[in-house]
Amino acid sequence: MSINLKSLITVLDAKWIGSDSDVIIDHISIDSRSLQNGSQTLFFALSGVNNDAHLFISELIEKGVQNFAVEYIPENCIGKANFLIVKNTLTALQQFAAYYRSLFHFPIIGLTGSNGKTIVKEWLNFLLSPDFNIIRSPKSYNSQVGVPLSVIAINEKHNLGIFEAGISTVNEMDKLEKVIRPDIGILTNIGSAHDEGFLNVIQKIDEKLLLFKESNIIIYQKDHLVDSCLSQFSAEYSLHSRNLFSWSFTDKTADVFILKKENQNETTTIQYQYKNEIFDLEIPFWDAASVENAISCLLVLIYLKYDRQTIQNRMSLLYPVEMRLEVKNGINNCSIIDDSYSSDFQSLKIALDFLESQKKNASKTVILSDIFQSGFSNEELYSKVAQLIVDNKVNRVIGIGKTISSFTAKFSNSITFENTAEFISNFESLDFSNETILIKGARTFRFEEIVSLLEEKTHETILEINLNSISHNLNFFKSKLASNVKMMVMVKAFGYGNGGLEIAKLLEHHKVDYLGVAFADEGISLKNGRIKLPIMVLNPESTSFPSIIQYQLEPEIYTIKGLNAFLKIAREKNLKDFPIHIKLDTGMHRLGFEENTIDELIQTLKGNSTVHIQSILSHMATSDDLQHYDFALSQIQLFEKLSSKLMIELNVNPIRHILNTSGISNFPEAQYNMVRLGIGLYGVSNDPSEQKHLENVGTLKSIISQVRTIPAGDSVGYGRRFIAQKETKIATIPIGYADGISRLWGNEVGYVIIKNQKARIVGSVCMDMLMVNVSDIECKEGDSVIVFGESPTVIEMAEALKTIPYEILASISQRVKRVFFR
């Protein structure tokens, strides 16, 4: 990219305030945290319900950024940089992307739908890459922000684009259409995703079709709903039947009719009819979703006039698409970021930002394969990659591939190998320890073998944590807050069983205001993990006060005895204004100063400069149960009375907070200066209307260790609590109560999911294993098992076990490996 800043004044309909409009822009950014921001960056200061990037402009100026698209100029930044003032910075970003798109004139494929967009995009990239230099959306960049950022990555060497567009409500697609302007449109499966944003499915289809109003061809699965919407759409936008290219399993009037579909040995043979000819096609998948996605790809190849043999050869090589970055524990206190299935310039930039946000260690290493389809010459490409490495303060680069090996001189502290096998043979000499390692490689380099070498070896049960879902849930609750209300997020009990440090890093990335832990050792662990956010310790024991002070944690104080003990240590250490948090008991009767102790508390603190009251808090006992609404109100009223008295008598103005997760939704009038988000972050609410807006965060997975068939009359497990009534197929799963699965979940109360089917747990749950009935399921040893996640949910499990979701999550043993992905 090389754009004159002056030319954008007209493009963005902006007011110019600055000293130098002749600057050449070579990078667009919306993330103030990115280490890739520089003097030739144009930063769009996006404003939303939860964040306002204008607040970080002064910080960016200090780091050398000089060019900004803004809605207003912060007072402390006037005269310090170049500013394009616009009405709306998101609209301006989209306008810039649309302008940039107009500078290029090669074919663009645009995809939308409810499901399958990213899979089809990645498969088309694979199928067409031998013949085109392709630019495509990185990962799932398909939002109002993601689409412009994807398109902005086009350069002069590209000759085909593949971009996906996702929407959640009306009046969104028209904006994305102006940015993508696809020549070939693909409508993938229409499902239930984002149904809440539309009146009905017809409105959703109508809105998605707007992406294709200038397209030469629209590829879609024919059915009566889509046909009905397309009929009206075609009339409105003067499309003809030649602009439509359909396929179907049932409608013989479709352009491509699927005569037969046979599944065998995890492959599918498709027989299809096109222009009165019959063709066979074999693809290496058996599930219905993959078959539908493959057929969408097939129609693109047919439309582009690929011959029958090429279609068969390439589609037989389709592969499962990994769409996520995973964070895993590594050997020798390393942390592994696994992005081992893709290597392109745009996704490298994303992965490096993710590396910075998730690093556990000061030292950063990147293992990188040759990069394909960048659009740049090799000289230009690896110069840019080397600069990215410098900008992101990477300490060591390990290059793998013949091309990157020839550019070793561009990287400081680097070593290269011509192939993965050579790296593996030299593995022992490379000394991996106490570092965060990004592993990023094209699929052909088999970097999964490197991940296996570096990954900490644990048993095959894992808890997968979806960091995107945590971000979604955080923003959902943020949207409920007044603009001046702070957010404390609870990461106690190892992040409710989900992994404290990794989640804390994500929360720090999202700039929450406080973290909350139960005990000092949890806070110390986070501080040792380089977390800089203030951390409140909710249940500090007096023996932990010296460590709390040493690690700059902030204790909750709830008794006069505890206060005096802390003050004694604080005086001995000559502390001044050390932050403490005063807990009031307003009816929970667990911890806190009661009303009759407030006067003594005031006398103890009056005139004391050793500590500073950072916040006053209380805890609601019934915020999740509106049957006790009056009691909850009485707690809020007492909190107001007692906290106000403290503030007046001590002449302080601390943060006040009483609301937990359910309180945020049920008592918005009591937000005060801060709220505490707990279980809601992890996708759990006891309000069904709220639950549907939250995303599942944790999925507990295992595998089948063994499958056996037992005759009628044989038993399974300890105590012979299951007796087979007929011949029964039993699968053994390596997870048990030592991993956190309640024994009450056994004996046909609970189930797991195998091949999308329920398998009831039979017999007692053992310490390290459980057994399930798979008589009606085609499965084998090594197949994946879902213990909880989307189904069964932790809410469903809690109801069956007469407990709460907190206990289900917090019970998952730390011997279960956590895998974090985005």
Side-chain angles (χ1 to χ4, degrees):
M1 175 186 294
S2 181
I3 301 287
N4 192 294
L5 186 61
K6 184 188 295 184
S7 66
L8 299 181
I9 299 173
T10 302
V11 170
L12 305 184
D13 190 24
K15 178 183 177 183
W16 166 259
I17 294 182
S19 59
D20 184 7
S21 63
D22 282 324
V23 175
I24 299 299
I25 299 299
D26 66 5
H27 177 59
I28 300 298
S29 177
I30 62 166
D31 188 351
S32 63
R33 300 158 296 198
S34 175
L35 296 178
Q36 297 160 34
N37 296 323
S39 60
Q40 291 183 286
T41 294
L42 174 58
F43 183 85
F44 283 80
L46 301 186
S47 300
V49 175
N50 306 312
N51 293 297
D52 183 359
H54 294 79
L55 301 176
F56 308 109
I57 289 176
S58 60
E59 179 183 321
L60 283 164
I61 292 172
E62 289 179 8
K63 293 178 179 178
V65 180
Q66 281 293 296
N67 311 293
F68 299 88
V70 298
E71 293 169 14
Y72 65 90
I73 304 176
E75 285 188 16
N76 60 342
C77 299
I78 295 173
K80 295 181 179 180
N82 299 318
F83 294 97
L84 295 163
I85 303 176
V86 298
K87 290 181 180 177
N88 181 285
T89 45
L90 174 57
T91 300
L93 176 65
Q94 294 166 343
Q95 288 171 331
F96 173 81
Y99 162 72
Y100 189 73
R101 159 74 176 91
S102 71
L103 302 178
F104 300 90
H105 304 289
F106 52 76
I108 297 287
I109 299 174
L111 305 99
T112 191
S114 302
N115 307 303
K117 298 184 293 295
T118 302
I119 300 291
V120 173
K121 177 199 70 187
E122 292 299 319
W123 282 354
L124 285 175
N125 176 67
F126 169 76
L127 293 166
L128 300 174
S129 59
D131 311 304
F132 295 93
N133 196 352
I134 299 172
I135 176 69
R136 70 192 192 280
S137 311
K139 303 295 178 183
S140 297
Y141 268 41
N142 59 28
S143 67
Q144 297 291 305
V145 174
V147 168
L149 294 178
S150 300
V151 168
I152 288 166
I154 296 173
N155 68 49
E156 293 76 8
K157 302 293 176 61
H158 293 126
N159 56 14
L160 179 69
I162 310 175
F163 300 108
E164 55 177 297
I167 56 171
S168 57
T169 189
V170 296
N171 302 320
E172 289 187 342
M173 188 60 85
D174 194 54
K175 299 170 185 175
L176 301 185
E177 188 277 335
K178 291 180 173 65
V179 176
I180 298 176
R181 284 294 167 109
D183 304 282
I184 299 171
I186 302 173
L187 183 67
T188 64
N189 176 274
I190 299 294
S192 59
H194 300 300
D195 273 355
E196 66 276 8
F198 303 92
L199 294 175
N200 50 48
V201 68
I202 291 176
Q203 187 185 52
K204 180 158 70 172
I205 295 171
D206 285 342
E207 182 72 14
K208 288 182 180 293
L209 288 175
L210 291 175
L211 179 61
F212 310 134
K213 61 186 181 183
E214 299 289 339
S215 297
N216 298 324
I217 196 78
I218 303 173
I219 293 170
Y220 69 102
Q221 182 177 5
K222 190 176 181 66
D223 70 34
H224 70 281
L225 269 182
V226 176
D227 278 341
S228 172
C229 294
L230 271 170
S231 177
Q232 183 175 342
F233 179 77
S234 298
E236 187 172 351
Y237 292 100
S238 303
L239 298 180
H240 302 284
S241 59
R242 66 177 180 272
N243 298 109
L244 306 178
F245 193 26
S246 63
W247 67 271
S248 177
F249 291 117
T250 57
D251 190 337
K252 293 183 178 180
T253 66
D255 297 292
V256 175
F257 178 60
I258 311 301
L259 295 164
K260 191 165 56 174
K261 177 170 70 85
E262 293 181 349
N263 302 103
Q264 187 176 8
N265 297 326
E266 298 190 356
T267 66
T268 301
T269 300
I270 297 168
Q271 189 175 79
Y272 65 94
Q273 180 175 308
Y274 173 60
K275 289 187 175 179
N276 298 319
E277 287 192 73
I278 295 176
F279 305 89
D280 289 327
L281 175 68
E282 185 176 290
I283 57 173
F285 299 97
W286 60 270
D287 63 292
S290 294
V291 171
E292 287 189 13
N293 293 333
I295 294 172
S296 292
C297 294
L298 169 65
L299 264 69
V300 174
L301 296 180
I302 293 173
Y303 174 72
L304 294 176
K305 296 183 169 51
Y306 277 80
D307 65 82
R308 178 177 182 173
Q309 193 59 50
T310 301
I311 291 174
Q312 175 57 70
N313 290 345
R314 293 188 186 178
M315 292 196 68
S316 68
L317 299 174
L318 291 177
Y319 52 85
V321 174
E322 293 291 334
M323 294 183 291
R324 61 196 198 182
L325 295 165
E326 291 187 340
V327 183
K328 304 174 179 178
N329 290 329
I331 60 174
N332 304 326
N333 196 37
C334 290
S335 180
I336 309 300
I337 297 177
D338 180 3
D339 193 12
S340 57
Y341 292 97
S342 68
S343 181
D344 60 84
F345 187 66
Q346 275 305 103
S347 65
L348 174 61
K349 294 166 74 173
I350 295 168
L352 286 168
D353 277 341
F354 187 65
L355 169 63
E356 177 63 20
S357 71
Q358 285 293 311
K359 67 179 182 183
K360 288 184 182 178
N361 313 88
S363 181
K364 296 190 289 188
T365 292
V366 173
I367 302 175
L368 183 66
S369 78
D370 288 348
I371 296 175
F372 302 122
Q373 292 185 294
S374 69
F376 304 113
S377 67
N378 284 336
E379 177 69 31
E380 187 178 7
L381 168 63
Y382 288 101
S383 295
K384 288 179 176 290
V385 171
Q387 188 59 52
L388 275 181
I389 295 297
V390 171
D391 292 344
N392 283 272
K393 299 179 173 60
V394 173
N395 303 88
R396 176 168 61 154
V397 176
I398 298 174
I400 299 178
K402 291 184 178 179
T403 306
I404 196 171
S405 294
S406 65
F407 290 95
T408 307
K410 290 188 178 294
F411 303 94
S412 59
N413 196 17
S414 67
I415 184 171
T416 58
F417 302 96
E418 289 208 352
N419 52 55
T420 302
E422 186 183 347
F423 169 90
I424 291 172
S425 67
N426 287 274
F427 179 75
E428 295 298 330
S429 66
L430 292 174
D431 186 26
F432 292 101
S433 62
N434 299 305
E435 56 195 305
T436 303
I437 306 166
L438 169 63
I439 302 174
K440 182 147 187 65
R443 186 179 183 83
T444 54
F445 284 87
R446 306 185 322 279
F447 271 18
E448 64 272 16
E449 297 176 20
I450 296 176
V451 174
S452 180
L453 280 174
L454 286 167
E455 193 175 359
E456 183 182 53
K457 304 303 182 282
T458 56
H459 72 102
E460 292 171 292
T461 295
I462 62 172
L463 180 61
E464 289 189 343
I465 310 300
N466 188 331
L467 297 177
N468 291 70
S469 294
I470 288 180
S471 298
H472 168 88
N473 297 338
L474 175 69
N475 287 329
F476 172 76
F477 285 101
K478 275 187 174 181
S479 71
K480 293 175 173 286
L481 305 182
S483 59
N484 62 334
V485 175
K486 299 178 185 295
M487 173 78 81
M488 174 184 287
V489 181
M490 310 309 296
V491 290
K492 61 182 181 177
F494 194 49
Y496 289 68
N498 291 284
L501 178 58
E502 289 80 5
I503 291 172
K505 286 182 177 296
L506 180 65
L507 296 171
E508 190 165 62
H509 190 68
H510 280 291
K511 299 183 184 295
V512 302
D513 301 284
Y514 259 91
L515 298 179
V517 298
F519 299 105
D521 57 351
E522 294 175 318
I524 291 168
S525 177
L526 295 180
K527 288 294 186 180
N528 285 334
R530 304 171 66 83
I531 295 298
K532 296 180 176 61
L533 284 174
I535 299 171
M536 186 176 89
V537 182
L538 280 79
N539 308 323
E541 297 157 324
S542 58
T543 54
S544 69
F545 285 159
S547 296
I548 284 174
I549 293 169
Q550 178 185 349
Y551 285 91
Q552 293 295 295
L553 304 172
E554 301 179 15
E556 175 187 285
I557 302 296
Y558 47 84
T559 64
I560 291 293
K561 180 181 178 182
L563 176 59
N564 285 327
F566 188 82
L567 288 174
K568 180 176 183 294
I569 294 172
R571 291 189 191 102
E572 290 172 355
K573 293 182 177 293
N574 295 315
L575 298 182
K576 186 174 178 60
D577 291 332
F578 194 93
I580 63 172
H581 301 260
I582 299 298
K583 175 73 169 287
L584 303 178
D585 182 1
T586 57
M588 181 80 162
H589 296 331
R590 191 173 61 178
L591 293 175
F593 291 94
E594 295 181 280
E595 186 170 8
N596 61 7
T597 64
I598 296 298
D599 289 338
E600 185 179 0
L601 172 64
I602 290 170
Q603 289 306 312
T604 305
L605 287 173
K606 188 167 282 187
N608 191 308
S609 61
T610 306
V611 295
H612 162 72
I613 300 177
Q614 184 71 7
S615 83
I616 303 173
L617 67 145
S618 189
H619 197 84
M620 298 180 71
T622 62
S623 62
D624 60 342
D625 187 353
L626 296 182
Q627 292 184 45
H628 297 286
Y629 184 81
D630 289 342
F631 179 79
L633 284 183
S634 72
Q635 280 199 269
I636 294 169
Q637 289 163 1
L638 182 56
F639 178 68
E640 172 65 29
K641 174 185 173 183
L642 299 183
S643 61
S644 295
K645 182 175 181 178
L646 282 171
M647 292 166 67
I648 292 168
E649 294 285 341
L650 295 173
N651 191 28
V652 293
N653 187 28
I655 300 168
R656 290 193 286 177
H657 47 113
I658 189 172
L659 297 185
N660 54 5
T661 296
S662 50
I664 293 171
S665 299
N666 292 334
F667 298 92
E669 71 281 2
Q671 291 180 3
Y672 286 99
N673 315 100
M674 187 161 73
V675 298
R676 302 187 300 271
L677 179 61
I679 194 72
L681 182 74
Y682 307 100
V684 176
S685 171
N686 69 331
D687 181 352
S689 64
E690 185 170 83
Q691 183 65 50
K692 68 181 183 181
H693 293 289
L694 301 178
E695 294 184 359
N696 178 65
V697 168
T699 301
L700 183 58
K701 289 184 173 182
S702 193
I703 63 164
I704 296 175
S705 294
Q706 188 174 22
V707 179
R708 61 166 54 81
T709 299
I710 63 173
D714 273 20
S715 63
V716 174
Y718 289 115
R720 304 197 73 207
R721 291 185 175 86
F722 174 81
I723 307 292
Q725 302 301 306
K726 58 182 180 180
E727 185 176 85
T728 305
K729 187 165 64 169
I730 300 294
T732 300
I733 318 298
I735 182 172
Y737 59 76
D739 301 292
I741 305 302
S742 171
R743 293 183 77 247
L744 298 174
W745 190 235
N747 297 312
E748 299 185 88
V749 173
Y751 64 91
V752 299
I753 297 293
I754 300 173
K755 298 284 188 179
N756 296 316
Q757 299 175 69
K758 289 184 179 181
R760 284 281 166 193
I761 299 172
V762 294
S764 298
V765 174
C766 308
M767 180 179 284
D768 308 300
M769 285 169 279
L770 56 82
M771 289 68 72
V772 298
N773 186 339
V774 292
S775 298
D776 299 323
I777 302 174
E778 286 294 325
C779 60
K780 62 184 184 300
E781 292 172 7
D783 281 349
S784 179
V785 176
I786 295 176
V787 182
F788 66 63
E790 296 287 353
S791 176
T793 65
V794 292
I795 295 173
E796 180 184 348
M797 292 177 71
E799 288 173 350
L801 298 174
K802 295 181 171 52
T803 183
I804 56 176
Y806 295 75
E807 184 176 354
I808 304 295
L809 290 172
S811 295
I812 302 305
S813 166
Q814 292 203 35
R815 81 175 188 177
V816 173
K817 179 172 65 176
R818 271 68 173 174
V819 174
F820 300 84
F821 68 91
R822 175 176 289 177

